[in-house]
C-alpha cells in the first residue's frame, strides 16, 4: 500500500534526524479496554491521598544483596515525588523465560512487566497488557513528548499502544569485545578482526597459549547472528526477512548461507576447545572473559564491559548497524491489564525516564554502598555488585556519567542510531492473531535446539535440517505464508 510506504519513509526520516536517540487478567479485547475508563477514574481518586505500591518484574542478574536498604532509600524519593513505592522483582537470566510465562499466563498480579520483541505480540494478544493509548498523553505528558512519535508507532499493535519503549540504543550493532592485554600478549591484530573467519585462528592462539577456552559462552551462544533478519514481531528467531532484501522475501533464516557459514566456524571453535564444553548448559558466564560478543557501542568497552571485568577492554564492530521495529522493541515496559493503578504506573515510568536521580538509583544502585556522586555530579562506582539490568528500566540519556569517562558515550549511541541502516520492513507490524498456535509450537522446537546450534556443540547443517523438519511439522509453513501475504499486501 502507498500508505505503508509513506509510513516507513516517515519513520526512517525521523530515525535519521532525531538527535537524542542513542500475568494475564483476561484473554479478550475487553481485558485491555472494557472498564478501563471507570477503573482509571477510580484509581485517580484512590491515588490522591494514599501511597500505592507498584510491583515491577524485570530480568537481570537476580536480586541485589542490598535490595532492602536500596528499596527503603528509593521509596522515600518516590513517595515524596509521586506518592508511589516500588517493589522490584529481579528475575535471573536463567529463570526469566519460565517466570515470564508464569506471570503472563497464570493470572499473577503485577503492575509493570519488562518485555521485549520475543513475546510482546503474543502477550498483547493474550490480553496481558493495558491499552495505554488514550491515558498516556494525559497521565504522562512529559514521557509521551520525550519519546519520538514513531517509537510509539513501533510498539503499537493494531494502532494501540501497549508498552513504553526504552529510549536508548534503539538500533542494533554487534561487537567483538577483547581483553586488550590478553590480545596483545599473543600479538593479535584485534582491531582488524571483524568476521568469524578471521576470529577463529586468533582465538586458537590464545587457547593454545593459555590452555583454556577463551570464548566462554552461556547457552544462548551466538544467537545474535540472526539479528540481520527482521522477525516482524513474530517472536520466532528462525523466521525473517533480511534487513537489506528489497524483495522482502520471508525465509527460514537458519537455512541461509550467511548464517550457516558462520555456524560452521563456531562449530569448529567448539570442537577445538576455543568455546567452553559446557556452553550448551551454562546458565551464566563468569565475570571475566578473555573474549566475548555483545550488542551495544564501542564506548561500552571503556564505560561498562572493561570495568565490570577489571581490565582494559576494546570493542570492534563486526555487524552492520540496523534499525527496525524489532530493535525498538528490544526493551519495553508494559502495564498489567488488571492493574489497580494505571495512572500511577505511567507517572512512575515517566519519572524514571525524566528524573536523573531516580534513574541513577535504578541504574547504579544505592548511593553510599554501590556508588557516590562527585562534586561535579558524576558517578564514582564503589563496586560492580548492582544486579539490576540498566537496559530494562528506562532511557540511557539521563543516566549520570562515570567520573572516569573521558567522553560522553551517549554521543556515540546517538550517532549509531542516526546512521543505522533501516530494515526494509521498518514500520511493518505482523498481525499474529491467526497463527499464535503455530508460533507457540515453533518456538518450542527452536528452544529445544538453539543452545546446541549457537554454541557450536552440534554440526550445524545436519542440525538445521532436523530443526527445519520439526518446524514444518509445527506449522512453520503456515506462519511463513501468513507473514508473506501480509507483507505483500502492505507493500503493493
Amino acid at each position: 500500500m502507498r500508505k505503508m510506504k509513506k509510513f516507513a519513509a516517515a519513520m526512517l526520516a525521523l530515525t535519521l534526524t532525531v538527535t537524542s536517540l542513542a500475568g494475564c487478567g483476561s484473554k479478550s479485547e475487553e481485558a485491555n479496554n472494557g472498564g478501563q475508563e471507570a477503573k482509571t477514574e477510580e484509581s485517580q481518586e484512590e491515588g490522591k491521598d494514599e501511597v500505592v505500591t507498584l510491583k515491577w518484574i524485570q530480568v537481570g542478574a537476580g536480586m541485589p544483596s542490598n535490595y532492602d536498604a536500596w528499596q527503603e532509600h528509593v521509596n522515600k524519593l518516590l513517595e515524596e515525588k509521586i506518592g508511589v513505592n516500588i517493589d522490584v522483582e529481579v528475575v535471573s537470566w536463567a529463570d526469566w523465560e519460565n517466570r515470564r510465562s508464569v506471570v503472563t499466563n497464570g493470572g499473577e498480579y503485577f503492575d509493570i512487566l519488562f518485555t521485549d520483541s520475543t513475546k510482546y505480540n503474543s502477550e498483547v494478544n493474550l490480553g496481558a497488557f493495558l491499552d495505554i493509548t488514550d491515558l498516556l498523553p494525559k497521565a504522562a505528558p512529559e514521557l509521551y513528548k520525550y519519546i519520538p512519535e514513531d517509537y510509539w508507532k513501533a510498539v503499537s499493535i493494531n494502532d494501540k499502544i501497549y508498552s513504553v519503549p526504552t529510549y536508548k540504543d534503539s538500533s542494533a550493532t554487534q561487537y567483538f569485545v577483547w581483553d586488550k592485554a590478553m590480545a596483545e600478549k599473543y600479538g593479535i591484530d584485534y582491531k582488524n578482526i571483524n568476521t568469524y573467519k578471521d576470529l577463529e585462528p586468533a582465538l586458537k592462539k590464545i587457547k593454545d597459549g593459555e590452555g583454556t577456552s577463551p570464548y566462554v559462552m552461556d547457552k544462548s551462544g551466538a544467537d545474535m547472528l540472526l539479528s540481520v533478519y527482521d522477525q516482524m514481531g513474530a517472536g520466532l528467531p528462525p523466521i525473517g526477512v533480511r534487513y537489506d532484501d528489497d524483495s522482502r522475501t520471508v525465509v527460514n533464516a537458519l537455512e541461509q548461507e550467511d548464517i550457516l557459514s558462520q555456524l560452521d566456524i563456531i562449530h569448529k571453535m567448539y570442537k577445538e576447545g576455543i568455546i567452553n564444553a559446557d556452553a550448551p548448559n551454562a546458565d551464566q558466564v563468569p565475570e571475566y572473559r578473555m573474549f566475548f560478543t555483545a550488542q551495544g557501542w564501542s564506548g561500552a568497552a571503556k564505560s561498562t564491559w572493561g570495568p565490570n571485568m577489571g581490565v582494559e577492554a576494546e570493542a570492534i564492530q563486526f555487524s552492520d548497524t540496523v534499525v527496525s521495529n524489532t530493535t525498538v522493541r528490544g526493551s519495553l515496559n508494559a502495564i498489567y491489564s488488571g492493574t489497580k493503578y494505571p495512572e500511577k504506573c505511567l507517572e512512575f515510568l515517566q519519572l524514571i525516564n525524566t528524573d536523573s536521580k531516580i534513574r541513577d538509583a535504578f541504574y547504579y544502585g544505592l548511593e553510599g554502598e554501590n556508588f557516590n556522586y562527585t562534586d561535579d555530579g558524576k558517578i564514582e562506582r564503589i563496586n560492580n555488585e548492582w544486579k539490576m539490568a540498566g537496559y530494562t528500566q528506562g532511557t540511557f540519556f539521563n543516566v549520570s556519567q562515570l567520573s572516569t569517562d573521558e567522553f560522553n558515550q551517549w554521543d556515540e549511541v546517538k550517532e549509531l542510531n542516526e546512521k543505522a541502516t533501516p530494515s526494509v520492513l521498518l514500520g511493518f507490524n505482523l498481525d499474529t492473531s491467526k497463527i499464535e498456535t503455530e508460533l507457540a509450537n515453533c518456538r518450542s522446537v527452536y528452544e529445544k535446539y538453539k543452545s546446541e546450534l549457537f554454541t557450536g556443540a552440534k554440526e550445524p547443517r545436519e542440525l538445521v535440517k532436523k530443526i527445519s523438519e520439526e518446524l514444518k511439522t509445527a506449522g512453520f509453513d503456515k506462519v511463513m505464508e501468513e507473514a508473506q501475504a501480509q507483507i505483500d499486501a502492505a507493500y503493493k
Side-chain angles (χ1 to χ4, degrees), residues 98-155:
N98 180 61
R99 180 74 179 112
R100 178 180 181 180
S101 294
V102 169
V103 170
T104 54
N105 288 282
E108 180 178 338
Y109 185 87
F110 65 92
D111 292 290
I112 303 170
L113 179 72
F114 168 78
T115 185
D116 58 23
S117 60
T118 59
K119 291 186 179 177
Y120 177 58
N121 272 29
S122 298
E123 290 163 341
V124 170
N125 289 334
L126 191 64
F129 301 146
L130 182 69
D131 172 8
I132 59 174
T133 312
D134 296 329
L135 185 60
L136 178 62
K138 299 174 185 176
E142 291 180 59
L143 177 66
Y144 186 59
K145 292 177 182 176
Y146 179 62
I147 294 175
E149 179 182 356
D150 279 352
Y151 277 36
W152 295 116
K153 291 179 181 177
V155 302

Side-chain angles (χ1 to χ4, degrees), residues 420-480:
T421 302
S423 164
V424 293
L425 292 182
L426 186 63
F428 172 79
N429 184 62
L430 180 67
D431 179 1
T432 61
S433 59
K434 296 179 181 179
I435 48 175
E436 285 294 349
T437 299
E438 290 79 11
L439 283 170
N441 292 338
C442 288
R443 288 188 196 109
S444 295
V445 172
Y446 175 71
E447 290 295 325
K448 184 166 56 171
Y449 295 109
K450 70 174 186 179
S451 293
E452 291 179 326
L453 180 64
F454 288 106
T455 60
K458 291 288 181 70
E459 200 288 320
R461 293 177 187 264
E462 288 302 315
L463 184 56
V464 165
K465 287 179 183 178
K466 185 176 183 180
I467 295 171
S468 296
E469 288 172 3
E470 293 192 25
L471 284 172
K472 284 180 179 292
T473 302
F476 193 72
D477 287 344
K478 181 179 177 181
V479 173
M480 290 184 66

Side-chain angles (χ1 to χ4, degrees), residues 399-414:
V399 175
S400 295
Q401 285 184 264
L402 293 171
S403 60
T404 54
D405 285 353
E406 299 173 359
F407 60 95
N408 186 343
Q409 63 180 324
W410 308 128
D411 289 341
E412 181 185 0
V413 175
K414 294 172 187 176

Side-chain angles (χ1 to χ4, degrees), residues 15 28 37 57 84 110 139 165 214 258 288 329 355:
T15 302
S28 67
E37 190 172 334
I57 303 175
V84 159
F110 65 92
D258 61 330
Y288 170 75
R329 293 181 182 186
D355 186 300

